[in-house]
């Protein structure tokens, strides 16, 4: 149900709705769309995460995380009547000062085409529109350069990203 | 109103309530209490942040940030009938996987007594009780060692904390 409902919300109208801020992006394959609808099919999302080698997570927790994220951005390719989830990003936030990005992913078949950049620009734009000025993330070593090109600074003024592990 | 209401909730009962998880901690000055009540006096909080040299923030936004934080932990010293806000921490979260700490502060007069450590342990305990396993933060260079001693790792597996600034 979730899948079809989600697809309907994204592609069921010929005119982009303001709510979902749909905007087609030129692409050599098909048409690329962005959606901020959080009623996303979590199985399809986990399949996408699987494709980039992330470990599987309990569906119930993924659903809860999406529900409690400040923004959720999904990227879709539409070919005829079929549409496919090809990218995703979400952010937690205090709705006032900061937002932190999580689960930024682009399907391997769609990498290297500028779509990750487009997804991030869409995400930053959404956060700026929500008056968030402090956008942060934790980048794996091999994507630090990708984020740097988008305007992200590693360790600005000596600030260190740190993670807690049980002692 | 907020201040007295908050104080009442923290100290108005002789028995600690489960909701606020009050727990007195031995201290040479007075009794130290922790509260998870988010109905905190934001002016007193900003005074505390002021004492450690942080720049002032719009009260309206501070209130909104507290309201949308996943947990809010305040630390109080009680001397007789008077109580004083001496520490604070809050975390944003997706309520499922991760939490990120913000605004961790201990009043300068109360630093170096193990109270920052106590505040952090209380915060981590709360997050663990909420089944959050991924706890992160962005540490200023001079407090990296403090957090390391509490079990936080800087840049684990090469992961970099990054911040976005407008180009």
């Amino acid at each position: 149900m979730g899948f079809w409902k989600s697809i309907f919300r994204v592609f069921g109208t010929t005119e982009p709705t303001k709510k979902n801020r749909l905007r087609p992006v030129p692409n050599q394959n098909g048409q690329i769309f962005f959606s901020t609808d959080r009623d996303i099919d979590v199985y399809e999302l986990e399949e996408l995460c699987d494709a980039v080698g992330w470990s599987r997570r309990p569906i119930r927790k993924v659903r809860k995380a999406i529900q409690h994220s400040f923004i959720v951005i999904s990227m879709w390719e539409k070919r005829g009547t079929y549409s496919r989830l090809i990218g995703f990003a979400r952010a937690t936030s205090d709705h006032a000062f900061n937002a932190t990005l999580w689960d930024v992913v682009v399907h391997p078949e769609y990498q290297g085409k500028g779509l990750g950049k487009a997804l991030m620009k869409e995400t930053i734009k959404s956060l700026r529109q929500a008056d968030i000025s402090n956008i942060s993330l934790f980048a794996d070593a091999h994507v630090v350069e990708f984020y740097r090109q988008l305007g992200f600074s590693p360790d600005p003024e000596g600030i260190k990203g740190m993670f807690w592990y049980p002692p």
Side-chain angles (χ1 to χ4, degrees), chain A:
Chain A
M1 191 279 278
F3 177 74
W4 295 110
K5 198 172 170 191
S6 163
I7 290 300
F8 173 79
R9 287 206 191 166
V10 180
F11 300 110
T13 54
T14 44
E15 284 301 304
T17 62
K18 197 181 174 193
K19 179 177 172 282
N20 286 331
R21 276 180 287 111
L22 303 180
R23 207 160 47 77
V25 168
N27 176 263
Q28 57 183 19
N29 303 300
Q31 255 191 322
I32 304 297
F33 281 91
F34 292 100
S35 169
T36 55
D37 190 341
R38 67 186 65 217
D39 190 10
I40 200 167
D41 184 283
V42 286
Y43 293 95
E44 195 174 5
L45 173 60
E46 285 306 283
E47 228 176 270
L48 172 62
C49 295
D50 215 35
V52 293
W54 294 357
S55 50
R56 287 265 167 171
R57 303 174 294 183
I59 288 294
R60 181 188 56 81
K61 289 192 91 171
V62 174
R63 202 171 273 133
K64 192 175 179 186
I66 288 173
Q67 188 189 333
H68 290 98
S69 290
F70 179 55
I71 59 157
V72 170
I73 308 261
S74 52
M75 183 166 66
W76 304 79
E77 185 198 36
K78 190 183 180 187
R79 285 179 188 243
T81 56
Y82 175 72
S83 58
R84 181 183 185 182
L85 178 67
I86 59 165
F88 182 84
R90 64 183 177 92
T92 50
S93 174
D94 61 10
H95 300 209
F97 299 110
N98 65 60
T100 310
L101 303 185
W102 303 97
D103 298 351
V104 180
V105 55
V106 173
H107 195 283
E109 290 169 25
Y110 294 81
Q111 289 178 13
K113 301 166 190 271
L115 291 173
K117 198 172 166 181
L119 173 65
M120 284 305 298
K121 287 195 166 178
E122 195 70 21
T123 306
I124 291 169
K125 198 183 72 183
S126 287
L127 292 172
R128 295 289 287 166
Q129 278 170 350
D131 200 25
I132 299 295
S133 51
N134 177 344
I135 305 174
S136 55
L137 57 82
F138 297 96
D140 284 335
H142 68 281
V143 286
V144 167
E145 196 46 44
F146 166 75
Y147 287 114
R148 199 198 296 265
Q149 284 172 19
L150 282 159
F152 284 86
S153 302
D155 302 344
E157 296 173 49
I159 294 169
K160 272 275 171 221
M162 300 184 84
F163 282 89
W164 184 83
Y165 297 106

